[in-house]
Amino acid sequence: MSKEDQDMNIENFLMRAEDDMDFLPIIPLNEGDQEDPNGVEIPDEIALLPLRNTVLFPGVVLPITVGRDKSIKAVNDAYRGDKLIGVIAQKDSNVEDPEVKDLEKIGTVAKIVKMIKMPDGGTTIIIQGKSRFATEAIIEEDPYFRAKIIKLEEEEAPKDEDFNAYVANIKDLAADIVQLSPNIPTEASIILRNIESPAFLIHFVSSNLNTDIKDKQRLLELNHIRERADLLMQLLQKELQFAELKNKVTTKTRTELDKQQREYFLQQQLKSIKEELGGDSNSQEIKEMQKKAEAKKWPAAAKEMFKKGVEKLERMHPSTPDFSVVYNHLDLMLDLPWEEYTEDHYDLKKAKETLDHDHYGMNKIKERIIEYLAVLKLKGDMKSPILCFVGPPGIGKTSLGKSIANAIGRKYIRLSLGGLHDESEIRGHRKTYIGAMPGRILQSIRKVRSSNPVMILDEIDKVGNDQRGDPSSALLEVLDPEQNNSFYDNYLELEYDLSKVLFIATANNLQNIQPALRDRLEIIDLSGYAVEEKMEIAKRHLVPRQKDLHGLKNTSFKISDKVLEKIIQDYTRESGVRELDRQLAAVMRSQAKELALHEKVKPSLSGEDVETILGKPRYSNDLYKTANMAGVAVGLAWTYVGGDILFIETSLSEGKGELKLTGNLGNVMKESASTALTYLMSNAKKYKLDNKLFEKKNIHIHVPEGAVPKDGPSAGVTMMTAIASAITGKRVKPFLAMTGEITLRGQVLPVGGIKEKVLAAKRAGLKEIILCWQNEKDVQEIDSAFIKGIKFHYVKTMNQVLELALEK
């Protein structure tokens, strides 16, 4: 390349330069000039040109835009003279007007190859580094810096293989960086391959290195070429790693962008195809939603939220994850029956007939529902009560809820709460979660499309709680008439009015319900059924249903009252009718088999037929005849499955007057035994008992069925009677049961669960019952027909109990 061609190349580069650049791409002009610095005489004093953003190396050509007045004057004077100028880097490139302290000590003597006046008044020079120098002293600062300098001699490049490897490695590293950097022209690698001088290669690569100015200055200051090559290799390695990482990130980003662009392009094509086929289905769905919303009656807050949701949906692409979230939320809002109610049936007589037809007995609940309907009829609007039916299993609490819904003409919802342990089941999840859905209350209301259904909260006493929350606490808001008009569901994110919903909770045991929740409920106790009631239920409901289920509906087969009573008394011991239903099903299966085999069935069953089908009787009242011996008394107990009877057995043995209690008894029951014994000891003279007997005899009280836990104060009178019977040797009267709490003063206190206990005694065939006088009101609530044949003794003191219980 001739000198003129080189100059033309430089000018072409300069024409593309931006005005605000301090220097342009570096172009080597003549490698040979750098190798012979002796061809240029270096003066002892020279004008200095401070550079802000780069370092000039010997042999390297650099275009510089000169803008500072001092620098322009220095360049002009040097260009008119020998064209030599000392180029030196600033320590801090941010300093606009550098002082002596701001300049580095070592720089490069440069020859001004060409000076060009730019149209904007600026000056651009092309300089070529000749030789390194060290500043000995600054002799002038005005009008520009002049310094006394010492020329630094360059050592010759070593000829050994080790250094040659350095040079080859520098070329390879530089070529790799050029290949990875899209901004560096590919011609640069050709230039690199053609450089033969090791010193010029180091200077050229150092000058083009994309590193900090301080690192370049360090390279310039190193005197030994081997050290300079070693540092350059380290910097190149660092630069190569950065270039590889940058290339990797760029490639990854470009790939992701290409994928997004491809998906967008395909979606646009799909949209065009849909439009050709008859319009975009998504826009049609949104239009249908808006059309439904116009006919919807809902609160202003819900209307506003729906409007915002639709606007958001219109802006979203169907493929985005949030589209389905917003769509499902709007769909729920449309499906919910805002301010939509079914019309209640105010015909009270017809409602009572419906309730009586579906369920036998349960007069207290039926009266409460009729009262509620009467108020609705008169007033037209009222907050629904929160009822809670409490009673043993199998008596029809849940089915009664459905009957109530039929009677008043409302939709029916049954919500099973047994084992529920997540609060979100009641209040819903936040819709941002994957798989989020509204709570079960709103889901049920959405399903029946009515805002005033009858909602059965089944087994409310069996709600669980764990780390995921306490559902019973969430129910506090639902079951409070003062709060449930603004029930907040996390998924809906709006308040919903539940005040018109007739909530009916069912439970077996009130003790398991949280006190705050129990306080919100109107408790209605449902006791177990008497034998007479069970017979009526069987005749009206169970037998016809089982005949229908077993294909015997069109047969003349009947079950007589006597056989029904035998099945109830000999094969069931329960408060409800579930076991009775199972026994009747067994009878019907037997008859269905007879009909299938012999094509005929008996018109009725005898007692012997029942024993053939169901086996020998499971329960017998003879037990209470044979068990009549001294020290044994019969008590009455209440369990969550209804009433039951239990034996209290007392035995005396030689010892030191110790009291031993067995039978899996609770603390309260143990204390009742201690109270009974203390009362008898303190009143020994009154009852003509030997005091020494209490010191010489051990008393052992046992309650059979030891695997069943027992507790409560109601067995107090029974324990006292059993101990007195054992000590006196007098037997307790046969077919006599008792229940009541005792005190040390000799009083008998009232206890609960009287109806269940009395019906249990009736089922067991007992004929006399001793109760506290304050429990007389509870007995009066029981239908007299169900307790016919039982004699009640109402007592105030334990003295009366012993007189009635012990045989003379």
Side-chain angles (χ1 to χ4, degrees):
M1 182 186 288
S2 66
K3 188 73 174 172
E4 288 77 9
D5 291 337
Q6 291 174 350
D7 291 347
M8 192 180 296
N9 261 348
I10 292 166
E11 287 183 27
N12 288 336
F13 272 109
L14 291 171
M15 293 301 287
R16 296 196 299 269
E18 293 179 8
D19 295 344
D20 58 348
M21 289 179 62
D22 284 338
F23 62 93
L24 295 171
I26 301 159
I27 311 117
L29 279 182
N30 190 351
E31 190 181 339
D33 289 351
Q34 192 272 337
E35 289 182 359
D36 187 18
N38 297 324
V40 179
E41 187 177 341
I42 305 299
D44 294 333
E45 294 178 9
I46 197 167
L48 297 183
L49 175 62
L51 294 184
R52 297 163 78 175
N53 296 320
T54 192
V55 174
L56 179 66
F57 287 84
V60 176
V61 176
L62 202 62
I64 301 288
T65 300
V66 184
R68 292 185 285 216
D69 293 339
K70 276 188 177 182
S71 299
I72 291 171
K73 190 164 182 58
V75 167
N76 287 334
D77 288 353
Y79 195 69
R80 283 195 295 269
D82 56 7
K83 292 186 171 55
L84 295 179
I85 193 165
V87 177
I88 198 162
Q90 286 181 201
K91 292 178 181 177
D92 185 358
S93 60
N94 294 320
V95 177
E96 184 64 36
D97 191 11
E99 297 177 8
V100 175
K101 64 180 181 180
D102 297 320
L103 304 178
E104 297 284 358
K105 295 294 181 185
I106 293 176
T108 304
V109 175
K111 183 177 182 181
I112 302 172
V113 178
K114 193 161 189 177
M115 185 166 71
I116 305 164
K117 298 288 185 181
M118 304 303 288
D120 60 355
T123 302
T124 297
I125 58 171
I126 296 167
I127 55 175
Q128 182 181 22
K130 293 297 180 183
S131 176
R132 295 184 308 130
F133 72 85
T135 306
E136 195 172 18
I138 301 295
I139 55 176
E140 279 183 31
E141 292 186 33
D142 197 56
Y144 48 80
F145 291 112
R146 281 187 68 81
K148 189 175 181 183
I149 63 171
I150 301 171
K151 180 183 175 183
L152 298 176
E153 298 293 339
E154 294 290 340
E155 69 173 6
E156 286 191 15
K159 303 294 185 184
D160 56 85
E161 291 297 322
D162 187 37
F163 186 74
N164 289 339
Y166 266 102
V167 173
N169 203 6
I170 288 170
K171 281 188 177 183
D172 291 343
L173 288 170
D176 289 344
I177 292 170
V178 169
Q179 193 174 358
L180 288 170
S181 304
N183 298 328
I184 301 176
T186 52
E187 291 84 355
S189 57
I190 299 169
I191 295 169
L192 281 169
R193 282 199 299 270
N194 291 321
I195 296 174
E196 295 176 359
S197 165
F200 180 67
L201 174 70
I202 292 168
H203 292 157
F204 176 66
V205 174
S206 299
S207 188
N208 283 279
L209 194 63
N210 185 22
T211 187
D212 194 63
I213 301 299
K214 290 181 180 177
D215 290 332
K216 289 187 177 184
Q217 184 65 29
R218 278 171 59 207
L219 283 166
L220 184 68
E221 289 176 1
L222 289 172
N223 290 321
H224 299 292
I225 194 166
R226 193 184 293 273
E227 291 177 6
R228 208 178 299 161
D230 187 55
L231 177 58
L232 178 60
M233 272 182 55
Q234 293 176 29
L235 295 173
L236 282 170
Q237 288 281 7
K238 186 177 174 184
E239 176 66 19
L240 180 61
Q241 289 176 5
F242 179 75
E244 286 173 344
L245 182 62
K246 186 178 176 183
N247 191 53
K248 183 181 176 183
V249 171
T250 304
T251 305
K252 185 180 177 184
T253 309
R254 187 183 295 116
T255 304
E256 288 176 358
L257 282 171
D258 289 346
K259 186 181 177 185
Q260 288 177 5
Q261 287 170 351
R262 179 174 174 273
E263 286 178 358
Y264 176 77
F265 177 70
L266 290 173
Q267 289 291 350
Q268 289 300 315
Q269 283 187 322
L270 186 63
K271 188 177 179 182
S272 300
I273 293 167
K274 283 180 179 178
E275 286 173 356
E276 287 293 326
L277 291 172
D280 190 353
S281 60
N282 293 317
S283 61
Q284 284 181 350
E285 286 177 1
I286 294 170
K287 284 176 184 176
E288 285 174 13
M289 275 185 160
Q290 291 171 325
K291 193 174 179 181
K292 283 183 186 176
E294 288 172 5
K296 197 85 177 167
K297 281 196 308 180
W298 47 15
K303 194 172 185 179
E304 183 63 26
M305 179 175 270
F306 182 84
K307 184 182 174 184
K308 287 181 179 177
V310 168
E311 288 172 358
K312 188 176 181 183
L313 202 65
E314 285 174 333
R315 293 194 300 268
M316 295 170 73
H317 197 276
S319 63
T320 57
D322 283 348
F323 184 87
S324 60
V325 174
V326 177
Y327 182 87
N328 291 337
H329 183 249
L330 295 177
D331 194 41
L332 170 68
M333 290 182 69
L334 281 174
D335 285 349
L336 282 174
W338 303 88
E339 300 177 10
E340 293 178 24
Y341 308 104
T342 53
E343 190 175 342
D344 291 337
H345 298 162
Y346 294 129
D347 189 338
L348 304 187
K349 289 181 180 179
K350 190 174 181 182
K352 192 170 189 319
E353 284 175 10
T354 305
L355 292 171
D356 287 339
H357 177 268
D358 292 343
H359 287 79
Y360 182 79
M362 297 187 177
N363 294 322
K364 191 188 290 186
I365 291 179
K366 292 175 183 176
E367 284 299 317
R368 181 68 184 84
I369 298 302
I370 298 300
E371 287 169 4
Y372 168 65
L373 275 177
V375 175
L376 270 181
K377 183 177 181 179
L378 295 174
K379 188 173 181 290
D381 180 37
M382 73 172 288
K383 288 180 179 176
S384 294
I386 314 292
L387 305 177
C388 181
F389 300 161
V390 179
I395 61 171
K397 298 185 297 296
T398 306
S399 60
L400 184 60
K402 191 167 189 178
S403 178
I404 290 168
N406 292 333
I408 61 179
R410 291 192 183 184
K411 298 290 182 68
Y412 170 76
I413 295 171
R414 177 181 166 273
L415 215 62
S416 180
L417 301 179
L420 194 75
H421 49 69
D422 191 349
E423 178 198 3
S424 300
E425 294 282 337
I426 305 295
R427 282 209 183 105
H429 309 81
R430 298 192 184 282
K431 68 174 185 284
T432 50
Y433 297 147
I434 294 172
M437 59 179 68
R440 286 169 65 178
I441 289 174
L442 280 195
Q443 284 185 53
S444 302
I445 288 175
R446 176 188 192 177
K447 190 176 179 181
V448 298
R449 295 185 177 277
S450 170
S451 288
N452 65 336
V454 173
M455 187 174 288
I456 303 296
L457 302 176
D458 213 9
E459 312 290 1
I460 199 170
D461 57 330
K462 297 173 184 65
V463 173
N465 64 343
D466 57 15
Q467 72 277 5
R468 282 172 284 187
D470 183 5
S472 60
S473 297
L475 285 169
L476 294 177
E477 182 188 4
V478 177
L479 300 180
D480 191 337
E482 300 299 323
Q483 296 179 35
N484 64 9
N485 61 340
S486 57
F487 170 68
Y488 185 86
D489 186 275
N490 292 327
Y491 184 87
L492 181 62
E493 294 182 344
L494 275 174
E495 293 178 346
Y496 194 86
D497 185 5
L498 297 178
S499 62
K500 302 293 190 297
V501 178
L502 176 56
F503 287 103
I504 299 176
T506 70
N508 299 128
N509 189 356
L510 272 180
Q511 305 305 316
N512 294 339
I513 303 175
Q514 190 188 112
L517 185 58
R518 192 165 65 236
D519 184 57
R520 286 163 165 76
L521 304 173
E522 184 181 332
I523 308 294
I524 299 178
D525 286 306
L526 293 175
S527 51
Y529 295 118
V531 173
E532 291 79 4
E533 285 180 301
K534 289 183 181 179
M535 286 179 66
E536 284 296 324
I537 292 168
K539 285 191 288 185
R540 292 186 185 190
H541 303 287
L542 303 184
V543 172
R545 186 166 66 90
Q546 289 297 346
K547 280 183 70 176
D548 188 30
L549 289 173
H550 291 85
L552 302 172
K553 188 176 181 179
N554 298 323
T555 63
S556 59
F557 171 70
K558 290 182 180 178
I559 300 179
S560 65
D561 290 359
K562 188 177 180 182
V563 171
L564 263 181
E565 188 174 354
K566 178 179 176 61
I567 294 172
I568 291 167
Q569 292 192 328
D570 292 355
Y571 294 93
T572 67
R573 273 285 190 277
E574 58 175 348
S575 295
V577 291
R578 282 193 182 133
E579 185 61 28
L580 174 59
D581 196 33
R582 283 190 282 269
Q583 298 302 331
L584 289 173
V587 171
M588 296 302 170
R589 285 195 300 272
S590 173
Q591 295 306 302
K593 184 182 74 173
E594 288 294 319
L595 182 61
L597 289 174
H598 307 295
E599 298 185 355
K600 64 178 182 177
V601 291
K602 288 183 178 181
S604 62
L605 293 178
S606 65
E608 291 78 12
D609 292 332
V610 171
E611 289 192 15
T612 303
I613 296 167
L614 300 179
K616 291 293 181 184
R618 297 182 188 178
Y619 306 100
S620 173
N621 294 333
D622 294 341
L623 175 70
Y624 309 110
K625 298 175 185 175
T626 58
N628 193 20
M629 56 181 285
V632 179
V634 179
L636 298 175
W638 179 92
T639 68
Y640 80 95
V641 294
D644 201 359
I645 64 106
L646 52 85
F647 289 101
I648 307 277
E649 301 175 349
T650 306
S651 178
L652 303 181
S653 60
E654 296 296 328
K656 299 178 181 178
E658 294 177 355
L659 175 64
K660 187 176 183 181
L661 301 167
T662 56
N664 201 353
L665 309 183
N667 290 331
V668 177
M669 208 164 179
K670 289 176 181 177
E671 289 167 2
S672 294
S674 300
T675 305
L677 180 60
T678 304
Y679 172 77
L680 287 173
M681 288 170 67
S682 60
N683 292 277
K685 288 183 180 179
K686 183 178 178 180
Y687 297 115
K688 298 176 183 179
L689 303 174
D690 186 0
N691 266 327
K692 293 181 181 178
L693 196 68
F694 292 106
E695 297 172 4
K696 295 178 181 178
K697 298 284 186 181
N698 286 343
I699 299 174
H700 184 171
I701 299 176
H702 176 69
V703 183
E705 295 187 51
V708 181
K710 309 165 192 74
D711 204 2
S714 64
V717 293
T718 317
M719 286 183 165
M720 191 267 293
T721 304
I723 295 169
S725 172
I727 292 173
T728 60
K730 295 179 180 180
R731 294 185 301 178
V732 178
K733 288 180 181 178
F735 298 99
L736 172 72
M738 62 194 76
T739 183
E741 185 179 352
I742 58 174
T743 70
L744 286 173
R745 293 176 294 166
Q747 292 180 316
V748 178
L749 301 181
V751 292
I754 293 299
K755 184 177 180 182
E756 285 82 1
K757 291 176 180 178
V758 169
L759 293 178
K762 172 74 172 171
R763 287 196 298 270
L766 299 172
K767 296 175 182 176
E768 292 181 75
I769 300 176
I770 297 174
L771 296 169
C772 172
W773 65 278
Q774 289 176 309
N775 285 129
E776 187 175 358
K777 64 182 186 302
D778 300 310
V779 175
Q780 289 172 353
E781 290 182 4
I782 307 171
D783 192 326
S784 58
F786 303 155
I787 52 177
K788 191 177 179 182
I790 297 180
K791 186 177 181 181
F792 292 94
H793 301 283
Y794 301 107
V795 298
K796 291 186 178 180
T797 63
M798 292 183 339
N799 188 38
Q800 292 175 290
V801 173
L802 293 177
E803 285 180 5
L804 289 166
L806 299 180
E807 291 183 338
K808 302 299 182 188

